[in-house]
Structures are given as structure tokens and as C-alpha cells.
Amino acid sequence: MYTTELSKTAKIQNLEDPKLLEAFEARVAADEFIEPKDWMPEAYRRTLTRQISQHAHSEIVGMLPEGNWITRAPSLRRKAILLAKVQDEAGHGLYLYCAAETLGTSREEMIEALHCGKAKYSTIFNYPTLTWADIGAIGWLVDGAAIMNQVPLQRTSYGPYARAMVRVCKEESFHQRQGYEIMITMANGTPEQKRMAQDALNRWWWPSLMMFGPPDADSPNTAQSMRWRIKRETNDELRQKFVDITVPQADFLGLKVPDQALEWNESKGGYDFGEIDWEEFYSVVRGEGPVAKERMEARRKAWEDGAWVRDAAAAHEEKRRARKAA
Ligand code: FAQ
């Protein structure tokens, strides 16, 4: 339902009214926000629905790896912070579903697409959280990568998505700091705690770099999304920025980034880094990630378990309407 179908997209574009298309392109080029009731090309609507719904699904599925640690957090303070963070992710998912709904697809349709495996969510959430240090690494690296990607999305051309991103980014930056603070504590703790912190960095580093998507040369959506200012920076540009910011943070922790090829490149003013295992990335995208099956089972179960709440809300609304009409 949401995957790119470039041949169809090209056909749709040829059917658009050239005058409307030209006016739309001019508005985007002038950095105006496009709003739900404005005319927009069908391919723009589709790619936004795809990206925003994938983003929403990621926030919701992303609650699972951390939710798994709420009862095992090492202190009441850590528990309260983690609980608040996981709740924030639920909120992000809800803003994003609302933003996607303004494009004409219902929340039920989006959720059905996730549950039947048609819609994607971020590869990163298909890896398991094995130790408490993973919660630090997720905040530091995964939220760090998410912010890197989402700050430019505050200026994305679709108004409801851009506005949702403003609040999301504020909360993500708190999330990143809480993760880094866990890493600081562990890296300066006992030798065993430092070893756990290094092990978490080793396991989360490469999957975090994959979050930015395929290299630009292999990204089917980037060129058009950059033209329509849905994306403001490319996958490779954001990945490079993330590496450049994060490597000194690892140095500060006294931890080693697990990449033999990592080296400062004076001429480009950034780090050179090793080849990402794209085979692994595509296999996780295909649904073959280490805990992909468990993630989808948990989401389907949550949806089924929550059916009574949705039914009760719908019955209440019906009663309210009937009372009003009487
Ligand atoms: N995972 O042509 P591109 C978070 C797919 S939120 C899975 O480059 P695009 C918060 C892509 O859909 C994390 N699939 O695509 C949090 C496309 O599929 P299609 C989520 C991926 O859209 C923290 C195909 O590959 N953030 O972490 C991935 O231009 C902690 C070709 O790729 C967002 O969603 C991937 N990593 O660029 C929560 C941000 N990468 O349709 C809890 C918004 C690519 O061709 C705890 N999204 N694919 O079949 C974006 O910025 C973009 O959609 C990209 C991909 C950059 C992810």
C-alpha cells in the first residue's frame, strides 16, 4: 500500500493539470507550507502518506524495545524517566498518525497496512535490547539519529508534518540527553558497567547508521522528495553529520566506535567511515530482523486487546450524537 511504485507515480504525474502542478511547484520553491486542503500532486500525497505513516509506525513499534526495560530499570528515578520517554514516543506516534490522516488515509487503514506487513517501520526497532546499557545506547544513538533526521523535517513542505516535528524534536532532544547520561554513568562505573556500555555501542552503532536509509545513489525516493522539499537533506548527508557529531561523544565516554576504517578526513572536515552492511539492512527491511516477528506479534496483540476501548469510545460517541439529535 505504501511502498514506492515509481512507474505508477510517473504515470499519475503525467495526468496532473500542468497549470496546477506549476503553481504547486512555485509555492514549494518559495518555501510556502502546503496545507491539507490545498491542491497537491497525487504523487506528493502518496509519498508523504508513506513517509509519515512509516514514521508513526516507527514511534509506536519503537516503544517496545524500551518498554521491555521499564520494570527492570535500576532505580525509581530511572524507571520514572524511562516511563516518561516511552509515553512521549506514543504521543509522537499519535501526532504523526493525525498528520498522515489529513492526507486522506484513515488511521485504521494505516494500522492494517502495518499489521499485514505492507507498511514499513524503521529497521532499528528489529534489534533486541539485551542489557540496561542498551537503553543508554538507544537514547544516545537512536534518538540522536532520529533528531538529526527530524530537525530538517521541521521545515518540510507539508504544514501538518512540519508542525508535528517541532514538538517531537524538543522531546527527542531530552531523550538523547537521558540516553547519553546513562552512558556517562556506565562508562564511568565499574569495569563490568563500562564493558556493558562498550558492548551496547558495538551492537547499536551500525544499525543506527542504517536508520538514515540506503545510500543516495540507491534511494528511489530522495531526488523527488528533495525537489518537493519533503526531505531537506539527503540520507548520506544526514548520516555523515551524525557520525561527525557522535564520534567525539564516544571519545568523551572513553568508548571505541566499532569501525576500523573510521578516520578524520581533514580535507572534507568530517570522518571517513567503513562500509555499511547493506545486505543486513535490506534483510531487516524485508522483515527478517532479529526480533521482527515478536515486534509485529506484540503490536497485533495490543491492537486486539484494545478493541474494547475503541468499541466503548464509538458507543459513547453514538449515544452522545443520539442525545443531541433527540
Ligand atoms: N527502515 O528512497 P528511500 C525514531 C525504506 S523515529 C525501514 O531513501 P525515503 C524515534 C523506505 O521506506 C525513526 N525502511 O526512502 C524513536 C523506502 O521504501 P519504499 C523513524 C527504510 O523515505 C527513537 C526504501 O527503503 N524515522 O527513531 C529505512 O526517501 C527511540 C528506499 O529508501 C522516520 O521515519 C529504514 N531505516 O527515506 C522512537 C523519519 N530507510 O517505499 C522510539 C522520517 C529507508 O521504497 C525510540 N522518514 N527505508 O518501499 C524519513 O526521513 C525517510 O522516510 C527515510 C527514508 C530517511 C527513513
Side-chain angles (χ1 to χ4, degrees), residues 5 101 141 171 210 312:
E5 298 163 277
E101 278 181 308
L141 301 174
E171 292 178 349
M210 293 175 196

Side-chain angles (χ1 to χ4, degrees), residues 195-227:
R195 192 198 61 73
M196 282 166 69
Q198 180 65 57
D199 171 60
L201 170 58
N202 293 348
R203 285 180 291 104
W204 289 93
W205 176 255
W206 292 105
S208 298
L209 297 193
M210 293 175 196
M211 283 177 72
F212 296 95
D216 295 347
D218 301 325
S219 160
N221 300 297
T222 293
Q224 181 64 79
S225 288
M226 291 290 287
R227 219 163 23 245

Side-chain angles (χ1 to χ4, degrees), residues 6 51 53 57 84 173 194 225 229 255 315 321 326:
L6 289 177
Q51 176 167 330
S53 65
H57 299 324
S173 99
K194 184 160 186 182
S225 288
R229 302 196 177 179
L255 300 180
R321 267 204 215 136

Side-chain angles (χ1 to χ4, degrees), residues 4 50 54 120-121 123 143 149 211 213 219-221 231 235:
T4 313
R50 177 186 63 78
Q54 169 177 314
K120 297 186 169 73
Y121 60 92
T123 43
D143 286 282
N149 167 276
M211 283 177 72
S219 160
N221 300 297
K231 285 166 91 164
N235 301 356

